[in-house]
Amino acid sequence: MKRFSMLLLLTALLSALLLSGCAGGADKNGENDLPAPSSSEPETPEAGNEAGGAGILSDFTATDLEGNSVDSSIFADYDLTMVNVWATYCGPCLREMPDLGELADEYEDRGVRVVGLVIDTLNADGSINPEQVETARAIVDSTGADYLHILPSADLMGVVYQISSVPTTFFVDSTGAQVGSAYLGSKDKEDWAAIIDALLPEVQK
């Protein structure tokens, strides 16, 4: 039943994204709540405070672009992690990736990491599509975005299903709990740096 539900979520997600395309840029504020995007003033979403105090990404397993197993421990050694949800067909996603690669290098010593979540790497039955994974690898190589990129898994579908357009970016702390709001659309390096600089004090108290 769980696998069937995941397939339904995946089908709906991919259909919606293919119909809507990717976000060319952010709205006025470029901010939205995850998992419930809103045009109102951003608030910390309920998803960051699930039952038992678990965060939005506090308990998951998945694989990265190289086929290695990853889980929520990827956040443990960092105060703040930027999670950038992207797709191989999305021009704005690809255009901001060189900047994200530079940010990943420049902020690592400050306790910040960048993680990509590439969402169009699965087949309709939920299995990994090797050709799409290879396409994603080539994009990572060509853009210099050589930070960790993970593939959707059953554990991540609750988050992925609520992404209405790509790129969507949100931040989590060392436990996988969301920090601040989600940002729809791409931004340049300076804008992302300003956002990171504003969020860091919240997690380094």
Side-chain angles (χ1 to χ4, degrees), residues 129-154:
N129 184 316
E131 292 181 358
Q132 279 299 96
V133 170
E134 187 56 39
T135 297
R137 286 188 191 130
I139 289 170
V140 168
D141 289 342
S142 66
T143 59
D146 55 354
Y147 44 85
L148 176 67
H149 294 267
I150 59 179
L151 310 178
S153 67

Side-chain angles (χ1 to χ4, degrees), residues 31-40 162-165 168 182 184:
E31 301 179 11
N32 279 279
D33 290 346
L34 184 74
S38 168
S39 59
S40 61
Q162 297 168 80
I163 302 297
S164 60
S165 62
T168 290
L184 305 185

